[in-house]
């Protein structure tokens, strides 16, 4: 057990870094300044978030989604302080993996390294899929269309086909299906088949990953120059969008400001947080910085500040230009200008989105090989992963493997699944980095860097903040809080209800609804009828209670409801533990708030994300005990 938590000392790490470049240990090239790091941060943050997922978040939360952007920025800012302090103490590649090795020991370092592998790989899968959507849309606008089955992943086509079939059986005409469902239905029916297997794969996503991997393999200087150019292009486009869009704002679209309340705002937490991940990738380039102890903290902070301002303004402009409920599309920026018949702007945005998301791929594709390289140097992965190319001075083998790890799943996985998995892996890394600063805060034997998080004693402030939060929950959100504690049944959404019913049940419900006085009998579409009723929650509940189908289809109850609350209960229990730890150890407030904010955002993610993340960590532990523990450089045979 003691060996599982063996730690690396900071002096030992710094000595290892000094020896890099001597003999058989080639070093990475040092080319980066604070400006380059800020550009990398902007390149990583402003990508799929602002060009894609911001639409879904705005549709859920309305104009008030800007508060979620601000909250997420503050949470990331707290985490960035912790990252910056560690980067100043341990200016080497490895990011949270290396920091955890110092603070917690080997087993925790392995877990966080394994989580980071998932973060960067799945993050790039997500961006590659979004890039493919914009690229194929750009081709279509230019008069060149690819078959649906080569521009869509297998899961989206399969699930979309089933949902489209259920909705059409409920009376919805094909022409009235959402565009994504129409595309999925078409792809499934038109693709080649091998027996019963449908040959559907996202080939444009594969293309961009191969291209970016080749660029990263060539060298840091080339990657830096490409990133700086792409950042300049997308900042110009975003400023153009704001400058033009502000003249088309209708302030009536900002009323109501928070149409779905706090629940609607928080529903977009995964999408919004995904828009911010990437600033931590800056810390993986520490060995390639000219002055990492000074420039890494500056790069992180400036990147978060600039991106927060841009995100908030863009969200206000989008929700002011068109009603918020129309923004649940894959390309919201291009969509709003298309709605206003400004086709020329849509074209410019589509081109810039292709460039912007390629820059995100670039930064993430640089980050993952450097994590693997650091783990390999410590013996936790085979030595091949630590190989540095003699000419290009990049982790060559790890870069090639990263290309395969990202490219193959991008052909088959869907966007929602990978977005949420990427978010939970990143948040987990942030939680441990913040906790690492708290663990090391009172240790006198730790060499300190030039940057240190300002210390504010949280002993009394933190319990007081929790009491205020509890008071607000049971006054402003009293019913929601009581429902949570009592596990009260919750009505299912119309879409969820209809797609879960069998053909026979849909027919029964369809006939029954025609007898209800609340229902528009001229409308034959079951999902549309229920959606209209759902605008009045009281009426909708009354209809669901009398609907002639099993209550498991109309309400989430019992274990099926409680299981989705497990992450929040974990958060509450950890909070109580943090109160005790804070009281005993006089913890620093900023990293503590970073830990709490990031853990809260983890708790807002689906329990299934926790489940899949847990499976990923178990696979990692099997590899650790099967290989890494025995080959660790810290391993001392008995």
């Amino acid at each position: 057990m003691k060996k599982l938590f063996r730690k690396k000392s900071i002096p030992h790490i710094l000595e290892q870094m000094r020896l890099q470049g001597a003999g058989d240990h080639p070093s990475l090239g040092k080319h980066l300044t604070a400006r380059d790091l800020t550009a990398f941060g902007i390149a990583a943050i402003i990508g799929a978030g602002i060009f894609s997922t911001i639409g879904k978040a705005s549709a859920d939360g309305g104009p008030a989604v800007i508060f979620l952007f601000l909250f997420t920025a503050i949470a990331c800012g707290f985490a960035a302080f912790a990252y910056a302090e560690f980067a100043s103490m341990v200016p080497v590649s490895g990011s949270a993996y290396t920091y955890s090795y110092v603070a917690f020991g080997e087993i925790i370092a392995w877990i966080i390294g394994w989580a980071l592998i998932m973060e960067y790989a799945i993050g790039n899968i997500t961006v590659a899929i979004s890039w493919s959507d914009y690229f194929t849309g750009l081709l279509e606008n230019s008069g060149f269309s690819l078959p649906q089955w080569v521009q869509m992943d297998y899961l989206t086509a399969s699930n979309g086909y089933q949902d489209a079939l259920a909705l059409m059986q409920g009376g919805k005409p094909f022409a009235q299906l959402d565009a994504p469902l129409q595309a999925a239905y078409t792809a499934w029916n038109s693709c080649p088949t091998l027996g019963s297997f449908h040959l559907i794969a996202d080939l444009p996503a594969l293309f961009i990953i191969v291209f970016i991997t080749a660029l990263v393999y060539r060298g840091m200087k080339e990657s830096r120059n490409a990133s700086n150019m792409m950042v300049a292009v997308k900042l110009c486009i975003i400023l153009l969008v704001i400058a033009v869009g502000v003249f088309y704002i209708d302030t009536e679209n900002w009323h109501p400001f928070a149409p779905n309340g706090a629940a609607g705002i928080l529903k977009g937490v995964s999408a919004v947080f995904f828009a911010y991940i990437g600033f931590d990738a800056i810390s993986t380039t520490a060995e390639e910085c000219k002055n990492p102890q000074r420039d890494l903290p500056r790069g992180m902070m400036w990147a978060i500040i600039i991106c927060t301002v841009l995100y908030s303004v863009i969200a206000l402009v989008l929700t002011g230009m068109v009603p918020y409920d129309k923004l649940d599309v894959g390309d919201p920026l291009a969509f709003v200008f298309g709605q206003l018949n400004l086709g020329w702007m849509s074209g410019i945005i589509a081109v810039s989105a292709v460039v912007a998301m390629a820059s995100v791929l670039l930064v993430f594709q640089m980050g993952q090989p450097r994590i693997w390289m650091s783990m390999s140097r410590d013996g936790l992965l085979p030595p091949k992963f630590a190989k540095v190319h003699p000419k290009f001075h990049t982790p060559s083998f790890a870069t090639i493997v990263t290309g395969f790890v990202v490219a193959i799943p991008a052909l088959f996985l869907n966007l929602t699944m990978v977005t949420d998995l990427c978010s939970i892996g990143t948040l987990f890394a942030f939680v441990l980095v913040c906790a690492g600063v708290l663990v090391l805060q009172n240790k006198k034997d730790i060499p300190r860097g030039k940057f240190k998080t300002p210390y504010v004693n949280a002993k009394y402030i933190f319990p007081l903040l929790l009491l205020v939060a509890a008071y607000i929950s049971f006054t402003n959100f009293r019913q929601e809080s009581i429902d949570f504690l009592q596990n009260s049944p919750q009505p299912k959404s119309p879409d969820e209800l209809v797609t879960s019913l069998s053909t026979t049940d849909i027919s029964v419900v369809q006939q029954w609804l025609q007898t209800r006085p609340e229902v528009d009998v001229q409308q034959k579409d079951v999902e549309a009828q229920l959606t209209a009723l759902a605008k009045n929650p009281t009426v909708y509940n009354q209809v669901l209670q009398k609907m002639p189908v099993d209550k498991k289809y109309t309400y989430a109850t019992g274990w099926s409801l409680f299981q989705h609350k497990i992450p929040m209960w974990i958060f509450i229990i950890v909070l109580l533990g943090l109160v005790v730890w804070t009281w005993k150890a006089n913890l620093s407030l900023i990293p503590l708030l970073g830990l709490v904010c990031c853990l809260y955002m983890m708790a807002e993610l689906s329990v299934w994300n926790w489940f899949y993340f847990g499976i990923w960590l178990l696979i990692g532990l099997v590899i650790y005990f099967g290989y890494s523990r025995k080959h660790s450089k810290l391993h001392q045979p008995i």
Side-chain angles (χ1 to χ4, degrees):
M1 182 61 68
K2 190 174 182 180
K3 287 184 178 181
L4 293 179
F5 293 92
R6 51 199 174 197
K7 299 177 182 178
K8 293 181 71 174
S9 68
I10 293 178
H12 176 67
I13 293 173
L14 297 177
E15 178 63 17
Q16 276 187 322
M17 186 180 70
R18 189 183 66 80
L19 293 175
Q20 294 300 323
D24 297 327
H25 301 280
S27 63
L28 303 178
K30 293 185 179 292
H31 304 291
L32 304 178
T33 63
R35 185 182 65 181
D36 297 322
L37 292 169
T38 303
F40 274 141
I42 295 172
I45 296 172
I46 297 182
I50 205 163
F51 286 99
S52 180
T53 55
I54 193 174
K56 176 71 167 65
S58 298
D60 289 332
V65 75
I66 63 167
F67 295 125
L68 186 54
F69 279 113
L70 293 173
F71 169 72
T72 307
I74 291 170
C76 289
F78 290 147
F81 270 105
Y83 266 92
E85 181 165 340
F86 266 122
S88 184
M89 282 193 293
V90 195
V92 297
S93 292
S95 185
Y97 158 74
T98 302
Y99 309 155
S100 296
Y101 220 144
V102 172
F104 301 111
E106 187 170 280
I107 185 66
I108 304 299
W110 169 265
I111 290 172
I112 199 63
W114 191 246
L116 286 171
I117 289 172
M118 185 184 76
E119 171 198 344
Y120 290 125
I122 291 187
N124 257 1
I125 293 168
T126 306
V127 180
I129 294 170
S130 294
W131 184 92
S132 174
D133 291 342
Y134 266 95
F135 180 71
T136 52
L138 188 61
L139 289 180
E140 288 178 7
N141 291 336
S142 304
F144 182 76
S145 297
L146 295 174
Q148 287 290 350
W149 56 273
V150 302
Q151 56 176 294
M152 181 178 295
D153 63 272
Y154 183 89
L155 282 180
T156 295
S158 175
N159 295 338
Y161 172 78
Q162 296 298 331
D163 288 347
L165 205 59
L167 291 171
M168 287 192 292
Q169 288 171 347
K172 186 181 286 293
F174 178 80
Q176 292 182 15
L177 292 174
D178 293 338
L181 290 182
Q182 289 185 16
Y185 187 87
T186 302
W188 191 260
N189 283 326
S190 63
C191 70
T193 57
L194 189 63
S196 61
F197 183 77
H198 291 245
L199 298 175
I200 300 174
D202 196 339
L203 295 185
L206 174 66
F207 163 76
I208 189 60
I209 292 168
V210 171
F211 174 77
I212 292 294
T213 301
L215 179 60
V216 172
Y217 184 90
R218 283 281 301 174
M220 176 57 75
K221 188 181 292 185
E222 291 78 5
S223 300
R224 177 199 65 188
N225 294 339
S227 173
N228 289 345
M229 179 193 71
M230 289 188 280
V231 166
V233 169
K234 66 183 175 183
L235 285 181
C236 288
I237 298 301
I238 288 169
L239 293 175
L240 177 64
V241 167
I242 293 171
V244 174
V246 73
F247 292 102
Y248 292 88
I249 289 176
D250 179 359
T251 54
E252 289 299 315
N253 289 331
W254 287 340
H255 302 287
F257 198 70
N260 299 315
I265 297 172
L266 292 173
K267 191 176 180 181
V269 68
S270 175
V272 170
F273 179 74
F274 181 76
Y276 277 95
I277 67 172
F279 79 84
D280 60 314
I282 299 174
S283 62
T284 67
T285 65
E287 287 185 37
E288 291 145 293
C289 299
K290 294 179 179 178
N291 188 345
Q293 293 183 313
R294 180 195 68 187
D295 293 342
L296 277 170
R298 292 182 181 182
M300 289 182 189
M301 296 303 177
W302 276 116
I304 290 175
I305 291 169
I306 292 170
C307 293
T308 300
V309 172
L310 292 175
Y311 273 141
S312 299
V313 174
I314 283 287
L316 283 175
V317 169
L318 288 181
T319 54
M321 291 175 70
V322 301
Y324 72 93
D325 56 358
K326 293 184 178 180
L327 289 172
D328 188 7
V329 293
D331 53 349
L333 267 66
F335 170 77
V336 294
F337 286 100
Q339 290 287 98
L340 298 172
N341 297 318
L342 297 174
W344 62 275
M345 275 294 293
S346 296
I348 292 174
I349 290 167
V351 172
S352 66
V354 169
V355 173
M357 285 188 272
S359 71
V360 181
L361 281 165
L362 180 65
V363 177
F364 274 32
Q365 209 71 350
M366 285 191 307
Q368 183 168 331
R370 285 154 179 80
I371 298 289
W372 282 357
M373 180 186 70
S374 297
M375 297 174 77
S376 178
R377 285 176 178 175
D378 296 330
L380 303 186
L381 289 176
K384 192 79 172 173
F385 285 91
K387 180 182 177 182
V388 175
H389 196 284
K391 179 181 177 181
F392 301 135
H393 298 283
T394 58
S396 51
F397 179 78
T399 300
I400 293 171
V401 173
T402 297
F404 280 102
V405 168
V406 175
I408 294 173
L411 295 172
F412 307 108
L413 296 181
N414 65 30
L415 190 61
T416 302
M417 176 182 289
V418 293
T419 301
D420 290 348
L421 279 175
C422 183
S423 294
I424 196 169
T426 308
L427 286 165
F428 183 64
F430 287 5
V431 165
L432 285 188
V433 171
C434 292
V437 170
L438 296 174
V439 168
L440 298 180
Q441 71 172 23
N442 294 322
K443 294 191 176 181
K444 306 299 183 184
D445 57 338
I446 300 293
R448 301 292 174 178
K450 296 179 182 179
F451 179 88
K452 194 173 188 305
T453 304
Y455 176 78
V456 178
N457 192 337
K459 183 172 184 176
Y460 299 105
I461 299 175
F462 183 60
L464 180 61
L465 289 175
L466 293 187
L467 289 174
V468 171
Y471 175 77
I472 292 173
S473 296
F474 282 96
T475 52
N476 294 13
F477 309 102
R478 179 180 177 80
Q479 191 57 51
E480 293 92 330
S481 300
I482 292 174
D483 288 346
F484 175 84
L485 293 174
Q486 295 181 343
N487 202 39
S488 303
Q490 296 297 309
K492 292 187 177 181
S493 68
D495 181 68
E496 185 182 7
L497 193 160
V498 172
T499 55
S500 65
L501 294 175
S502 66
T503 304
T504 303
D505 285 334
I506 288 177
S507 179
V508 170
V509 170
Q510 197 171 34
Q511 294 174 18
W512 179 77
L513 285 174
Q514 295 299 309
T515 67
R516 301 296 303 174
E518 310 95 333
V519 175
D520 178 9
V521 294
Q522 301 300 317
Q523 173 64 261
K524 303 301 181 184
D525 179 357
V526 174
E527 192 263 345
Q529 290 173 330
L530 293 175
T531 300
L533 293 174
K535 294 178 180 178
N536 186 328
T538 302
V539 173
Y540 184 62
N541 266 313
Q542 291 172 351
V543 170
L544 292 189
Q545 288 170 5
K546 298 177 181 177
M547 190 173 286
V549 293
D550 195 306
K551 288 294 182 285
K552 69 180 181 181
Y553 296 119
T554 54
Y555 284 89
T557 59
W559 170 249
S560 65
L561 176 63
F562 179 78
Q563 64 184 358
H564 296 290
K565 299 178 180 180
I566 292 175
M568 188 58 68
W569 278 111
I570 292 174
F571 170 72
I572 293 170
I573 293 168
V574 171
L575 273 186
L576 298 177
L578 287 174
V579 169
V580 176
W581 187 20
T582 302
W583 190 264
K584 290 183 176 180
N586 296 318
L587 297 181
S588 177
L589 182 64
I590 291 177
L592 179 62
L593 290 178
L595 189 161
V596 170
C597 290
C598 292
L599 188 61
Y600 173 76
M601 286 191 285
M602 283 182 72
E604 284 291 339
L605 296 176
S606 164
V607 68
W608 294 112
N609 294 314
W610 286 64
F611 177 73
Y612 296 138
F613 182 58
I615 291 175
W616 176 258
L617 293 185
L618 285 176
I619 294 171
L621 289 175
V622 170
I623 296 173
Y624 174 78
F625 286 105
Y627 176 89
S628 306
R629 182 169 173 269
K630 299 173 185 176
H631 293 83
S632 169
K633 295 289 179 67
L634 299 183
H635 178 62
Q636 299 294 328
I638 298 175

